[in-house]
Structures are given as structure tokens and as C-alpha cells.
């Protein structure tokens, strides 16, 4: 079954404490992406990756890092989280031939 | 720049009633258009997509959408809603550039009255 998994699903943390949200896909897709969802704003792209070791900024990259050491994994790193990063985060794996994006279940992050 | 507008933030309909969710986009060329549904606590699931051809597209769960180039619209419809359709619905256009980015609307939250 085609699947995108994210962990953790819920996280409450404090300002400045580094955290990583993991994302894994089993579809052998080259393209992966991270979005954040905020009320009234829809989803906005944070970072994307076109393949292993190839990543670039999306529309709202400030305060985030990513890495792509393996094709299946695309972790999102917040080195010093701040309250304005409280949001719902989605990882997506992209099938370029069909333009479909497969989304993970989301990670709800609260930074106090 | 590309943009998507969903004019209705929240819609309430009665179970069994028909539904139409509006979506307008701004993009210079013929877009690829998508509707996603997000059930509470779930990720986004693709309902349907339009790339070209027939402007009326059928999707999963009994949904359909019609692309109207003259109105820059891609409205989602369902003839008879079920309580399980209560969710948030997102219209999106893309993907764009090397980022394969989708541009999403703000979302429409659908409530179903019994």
C-alpha cells in the first residue's frame, strides 16, 4: 500500500529545544515536500527535495532545515523552535508522472 | 503569481442535500487543478483532478468538479451529502516549477446537519 508516514503525530515542546519530524515514503518517489497548514492560509510549502542530497527552499523556509540522505526519508528539522512555528505540518511524496501528491497524516506541533 | 481562492470558509448543509464548494484560481496558462479532502485528524486525500479534456471530472466518494475556463473556476459538487462528508476541503493548482509546489486555497470547512 502506498504510504507516507510521519512521526510524531503530536508534539508539544518549548522554545529553543531542537526537534525533528520524520517523514518516510514507500513509493520510490524522487520528489518530496514539506508544507505547513495554518488557519485561513491553506498549506504553504516549506522545503522540497528533488532527489537524494538535492533540497531547496519553498515559500516559508525560515527557521527550518531538511535533509535527504536516503530516497525514502525526508526529515524536517527545527533547530530552535519558536511559538510562531506552532502549526500542522504535512509531508508529501510526489508522483511526477501523474502529478499526484501523497500526504502524510500530519504532525501537530505546539511550541510554548 | 498563482493563487487560489475559496470564497466560503464554512458551509453547513443538511444530510441528503446537494453541495457545491467554490474555487477560483489565478494562473496565466491552463492549470492542473485538484480537490483534496481533510477529515478530522487525517492527512489530505485526493478527491479528483483536472489536467485536460472533458471539463467535468468524476472523483471518489461521489464527488465531481467542473472546470470553467471563462470563469477561472473549478467548483466541487455532490448531489447528496452524507454525514461522513463533514471535513475540510482544499482546492489546489499546480504543480509549479522544480519545487513541484501546489498552491492551495484557504480551505472550506463543511458541516453536515442531521
Amino acid at each position: 500500500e502506498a504510504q507516507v508516514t510521519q512521526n510524531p503525530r503530536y508534539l508539544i515542546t518549548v522554545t529553543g529545544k531542537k526537534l525533528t519530524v520524520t517523514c518516510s515514503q514507500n513509493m520510490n518517489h524522487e520528489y518530496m515536500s514539506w508544507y505547513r497548514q495554518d488557519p485561513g492560509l491553506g498549506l504553504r510549502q516549506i522545503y522540497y527535495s528533488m532527489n537524494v542530497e538535492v533540497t531547496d527552499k519553498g515559500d516559508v523556509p525560515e527557521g527550518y532545515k531538511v535533509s535527504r540522505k536516503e530516497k525514502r526519508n525526508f526529515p524536517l528539522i527545527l533547530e530552535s523552535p519558536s511559538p510562531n512555528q506552532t502549526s500542522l505540518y504535512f509531508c508529501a511524496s510526489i508522483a511526477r508522472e501523474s502529478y499526484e501528491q501523497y500526504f502524510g497524516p500530519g504532525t501537530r506541533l505546539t511550541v510554548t | 503569481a498563482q493563487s487560489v481562492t475559496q470564497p466560503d470558509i464554512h458551509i453547513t448543509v443538511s444530510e441528503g442535500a446537494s453541495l457545491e464548494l467554490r474555487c477560483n484560481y489565478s494562473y496565466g496558462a491552463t492549470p492542473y487543478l485538484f480537490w483534496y479532502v481533510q477529515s478530522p485528524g487525517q492527512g489530505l486525500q485526493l478527491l479528483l483532478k483536472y489536467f485536460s479534456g472533458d471539463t467535468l471530472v468524476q472523483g471518489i466518494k461521489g464527488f465531481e468538479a467542473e472546470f470553467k475556463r471563462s470563469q477561472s473556476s473549478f467548483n466541487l459538487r455532490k448531489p447528496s451529502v452524507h454525514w461522513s462528508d463533514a471535513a475540510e476541503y482544499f482546492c489546489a493548482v499546480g504543480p509549479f516549477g522544480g519545487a513541484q509546489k501546489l498552491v492551495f486555497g484557504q480551505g472550506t470547512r463543511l458541516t453536515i446537519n442531521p
Side-chain angles (χ1 to χ4, degrees), chain A residues 9-10 31 33 35 37 40-43 45 48 50 59 88 90 94 96 98-106, chain B residues 32 34 36 38 41-46 49 51 88 90 94-95 97-107:
Chain A
R9 294 287 312 278
Y10 303 90
Y31 277 72
S33 185
Y35 291 86
Q37 181 185 356
L41 297 177
L43 281 78
Q45 190 183 56
Y48 65 95
M50 293 186 283
D59 293 327
L88 180 58
F90 287 101
I94 303 157
R96 289 208 69 196
S98 66
Y99 302 103
E100 284 193 40
Q101 304 210 6
Y102 296 81
F103 286 86
Chain B
Y32 293 166
F34 306 82
Y36 284 86
Q38 183 182 16
Q42 304 294 314
L44 280 78
Q45 181 182 21
L46 180 66
K49 60 189 178 186
F51 291 165
E88 188 148 22
F90 291 92
Q100 293 290 293
K101 179 180 72 175
L102 289 180
V103 175
F104 285 85
Q106 303 92 322

Side-chain angles (χ1 to χ4, degrees), chain B residues 6-34:
Chain B
Q6 294 179 246
D8 305 304
I9 296 173
H10 184 203
I11 285 182
T12 300
V13 299
S14 298
E15 190 167 17
S18 63
L19 171 70
E20 182 169 30
L21 302 182
R22 297 183 290 165
C23 171
N24 294 97
Y25 66 90
S26 174
Y27 180 54
T30 300
Y32 293 166
L33 294 157
F34 306 82

Side-chain angles (χ1 to χ4, degrees), chain B residues 13-113:
Chain B
V13 299
S14 298
E15 190 167 17
S18 63
L19 171 70
E20 182 169 30
L21 302 182
R22 297 183 290 165
C23 171
N24 294 97
Y25 66 90
S26 174
Y27 180 54
T30 300
Y32 293 166
L33 294 157
F34 306 82
W35 273 100
Y36 284 86
V37 60
Q38 183 182 16
S39 299
Q42 304 294 314
L44 280 78
Q45 181 182 21
L46 180 66
L47 282 176
L48 47 79
K49 60 189 178 186
Y50 171 78
F51 291 165
S52 64
D54 193 346
T55 57
L56 184 63
V57 294
Q58 303 297 320
I60 62 171
K61 304 186 180 189
F63 285 92
E64 66 179 26
E66 186 171 13
F67 170 60
K68 292 186 177 180
R69 185 189 306 276
S70 61
Q71 298 177 20
S72 297
S73 69
F74 188 56
N75 294 347
L76 182 71
R77 302 194 294 246
K78 186 170 186 178
S80 176
V81 298
H82 186 262
W83 63 266
S84 60
D85 293 324
E88 188 148 22
Y89 292 81
F90 291 92
C91 181
V93 61
F96 296 108
Q100 293 290 293
K101 179 180 72 175
L102 289 180
V103 175
F104 285 85
Q106 303 92 322
T108 298
R109 185 160 62 91
L110 175 64
T111 299
I112 308 293
N113 281 338

Side-chain angles (χ1 to χ4, degrees), chain A residues 6 34-36 46 64 76 85 87-90 106-107 109:
Chain A
Q6 290 179 231
W34 276 102
Y35 291 86
R36 62 177 287 172
I46 303 170
Y64 304 95
L76 179 69
Q85 293 178 298
S87 188
L88 180 58
Y89 292 87
F90 287 101
T107 295
L109 172 65

